[in-house]
Amino acid sequence: MNEITPLPKEFRVPAEWEPQEAVYLAACRCNEFDPSQFAQGNKSVLDVQLQMIQALVDVVQVRIIASPHQKNRYLTALKEAKIDPSRVEFIKVPHCDIWLRDTGPIWAHSATELTSIWLGFNNWGYYEFIEGQWADCDIPNYLPRNLAEEIDANCFRTPLMGEGGDKSFNGLGSLICCKAVEKNRNPSLSLSELEMLLKASFNVSNIIWVDHGLADDTLTFQTHANFDNANLPGGVYTPLCTGGHVDEFCRFVGSSTVLLADVHSSRLCNMSEIEQITHRNLSEDLFMLQQQTDQYGQPLEIVRMPLPPNMIYSVDQRDPIYSTIRELKGVNVDGPIKVILAASYCNYLISNGVICFPQYYLPGMAPIFKEIDEEAFSIISSLFPKHKIIPINPRPVNAGGGGMHCISNNQPKIGGL
């Protein structure tokens, strides 16, 4: 590994519960999926974004990255949702997709300056496998540089490949990453080289590793003959997921407190094959976390967060995700396929005393969804007792392979705590 210039020592990446200047969302360029799949609740990504904006406008500047055409569409939607458009700022920066946690910058600040940390991006590891309309989406990715220029911030370029969704910072020098993701994005680097590059890129002193993510975050091109040539048991596909981003299952919620997902206790005696994979992965991650410490050498406090039951639905040619999966090299799809929602309570957005938190139960669903919703709500409320927890149903975003944290990007307030 060549010598790299580290992030200047006066800059640090804050924890997400620290004060924020702005939250960015990106306009959708098209429907991410067939909205008729969801008869109740939010039916589109825009529906979810509008609820997030409504929750955030009183506490933080909301900025939407949009072309002029997209801006007009969003202005109309804001008015229909009875949100004052003057409270939302529009930023004209070229972009392809909604996943700003990954295509946008990771922000760091000093006492007086803000900088965008610009990582390399290879379409979540799909660049060599994907064809069709999404093959060059955000490739090459200049969004971190262009956004920094737009708001007159600095920009720090790192040779590290990766995404913000696989980074959880406590603001004091510790960073949680998933080994499977970081090795996939940087296959030529050894683990020690990866750690050196992560530390240099983000000014952290302590890397906390977990091994694997949720089964429903498996890379879609990783198909298996014993899974009916899909990538999960029962012939089920993931909707172009990331391979194990930590914002789906393992996040800092305090200086040395880590939130770790698990299959809900009511499911442990009757797990599906998919849940068995998730439970096994998370049990191994728990063991790894118990062997590691924070930046001061203190043990981590681990709080478990339940996962909702698997939500699997059928898609065909009406759904853009169907075409995208069909266009993956090595994937052979003919006729309707089963796709699993990337659903997790860990994939929430926090900003200035407000948390946009996933809620899944809708009338007609099994009561267990309501029970787990309430348990998850109680856990996050106990961890952030001074925050207002706003439940939002994120299923349309989950259908694209992520959650509310994935489609947002929080810019910290300069100066620190």
Side-chain angles (χ1 to χ4, degrees):
M1 185 177 67
N2 295 329
E3 195 75 23
I4 72 157
T5 302
L7 182 68
K9 290 298 182 184
E10 64 268 24
F11 288 94
R12 72 178 181 94
V13 180
E16 290 179 25
W17 55 82
E18 293 185 45
Q20 296 177 16
E21 183 71 28
V23 169
Y24 294 86
L25 301 172
C28 318
R29 82 173 190 181
C30 66
N31 279 330
E32 299 285 317
F33 65 98
D34 173 18
S36 68
Q37 291 166 161
F38 301 124
Q40 299 183 75
N42 290 325
K43 295 179 174 60
S44 69
V45 170
L46 178 55
D47 287 343
V48 180
Q49 289 177 325
L50 289 169
Q51 289 193 354
M52 293 171 68
I53 294 167
Q54 185 73 74
L56 295 169
V57 288
D58 288 336
V59 300
V60 70
Q61 175 65 63
V62 176
R63 294 175 177 158
I64 300 176
I65 298 175
S67 67
H69 172 73
Q70 291 169 332
K71 177 180 177 180
N72 290 334
R73 183 161 61 93
Y74 272 70
L75 284 172
T76 299
L78 288 168
K79 292 173 184 174
E80 291 176 350
K82 296 182 171 51
I83 300 171
D84 182 356
S86 68
R87 304 181 71 189
V88 176
E89 183 179 351
F90 286 86
I91 304 285
K92 185 184 175 183
V93 176
H95 74 288
C96 175
D97 214 338
I98 60 175
W99 309 103
L100 283 187
R101 185 64 53 180
D102 301 334
T103 59
I106 294 175
W107 299 99
H109 66 74
S110 66
T112 58
E113 293 182 290
L114 177 72
T115 192
S116 158
I117 301 174
W118 178 13
L119 291 84
F121 182 69
N122 67 350
N123 229 325
W124 301 279
Y126 287 86
Y127 187 68
E128 299 297 326
F129 296 88
I130 198 167
E131 300 176 311
Q133 67 167 330
W134 300 105
D136 297 319
C137 184
D138 287 313
I139 302 288
N141 181 32
Y142 297 120
L143 185 55
R145 180 197 68 185
N146 294 347
L147 185 55
E149 289 177 353
E150 184 71 19
I151 66 168
D152 197 27
N154 301 314
C155 184
F156 170 79
R157 185 72 160 110
T158 169
L160 185 72
M161 297 290 291
E163 306 92 33
D166 194 51
K167 314 285 187 296
S168 184
F169 299 87
N170 71 351
L172 298 173
S174 288
L175 164 62
I176 301 173
C177 292
C178 178
K179 203 176 291 185
V181 172
E182 300 301 324
K183 286 294 293 178
N184 173 272
R185 309 302 194 265
N186 302 276
S188 65
L189 300 182
S190 67
L191 188 62
S192 61
E193 289 173 330
L194 255 177
E195 288 197 351
M196 287 171 57
L197 192 49
L198 287 164
K199 290 176 179 179
S201 299
F202 304 113
N203 264 352
V204 293
S205 58
N206 183 44
I207 308 298
I208 297 170
W209 290 107
V210 285
D211 245 337
H212 301 286
L214 307 182
D216 55 39
D217 200 17
T218 302
L219 291 165
T220 310
F221 57 78
Q222 293 179 336
T223 58
H224 299 273
N226 55 333
F227 294 163
D228 298 327
N229 293 316
N231 66 324
L232 290 178
V236 175
Y237 289 85
T238 57
L240 262 68
C241 288
T242 71
H245 273 187
V246 295
D247 64 3
E248 287 282 298
F249 71 99
C250 184
R251 293 176 66 175
F252 273 117
V253 288
S255 59
S256 59
T257 305
V258 175
L259 189 65
L260 180 66
D262 197 9
V263 174
H264 188 251
S265 57
S266 67
R267 304 284 306 157
L268 292 177
C269 294
N270 190 32
M271 289 186 286
S272 69
E273 289 184 86
I274 295 173
E275 288 172 320
Q276 289 175 31
I277 296 171
T278 288
H279 181 61
R280 182 171 63 249
N281 287 353
L282 294 174
S283 296
E284 293 173 0
D285 291 336
L286 173 62
F287 179 78
M288 286 187 70
L289 290 170
Q290 290 170 334
Q291 313 310 307
Q292 298 176 85
T293 68
D294 67 9
Q295 65 284 343
Y296 303 125
Q298 297 302 308
L300 302 171
E301 179 186 355
I302 302 165
V303 178
R304 306 308 298 270
M305 174 65 82
L307 289 162
N310 294 158
M311 286 176 270
I312 298 169
Y313 63 106
S314 179
V315 303
D316 56 26
Q317 66 276 5
R318 295 171 298 175
D319 195 313
I321 198 68
Y322 177 81
S323 299
T324 306
I325 291 175
R326 289 195 67 180
E327 290 165 349
L328 286 176
K329 295 175 184 177
V331 176
N332 184 17
V333 168
D334 185 21
I337 60 174
K338 292 180 285 186
V339 173
I340 189 167
L341 293 180
S344 171
Y345 298 105
C346 289
N347 206 308
Y348 60 84
L349 171 65
I350 183 169
S351 181
N352 294 349
V354 165
I355 296 177
C356 297
F357 192 70
Q359 181 182 64
Y360 290 101
Y361 177 76
L362 291 167
M365 294 177 72
I368 188 63
F369 282 93
K370 186 174 184 180
E371 178 186 331
I372 301 176
D373 272 355
E374 292 172 351
E375 184 175 329
F377 189 93
S378 176
I379 291 169
I380 202 70
S381 298
S382 68
L383 291 168
F384 294 99
K386 296 181 180 179
H387 285 63
K388 183 178 182 181
I389 316 297
I390 300 177
I392 296 174
N393 191 305
R395 289 193 304 168
V397 179
N398 299 159
M404 289 184 285
H405 188 258
C406 304
I407 63 168
S408 57
N409 188 294
N410 46 284
Q411 176 189 320
K413 190 178 289 288
I414 293 174
L417 294 170

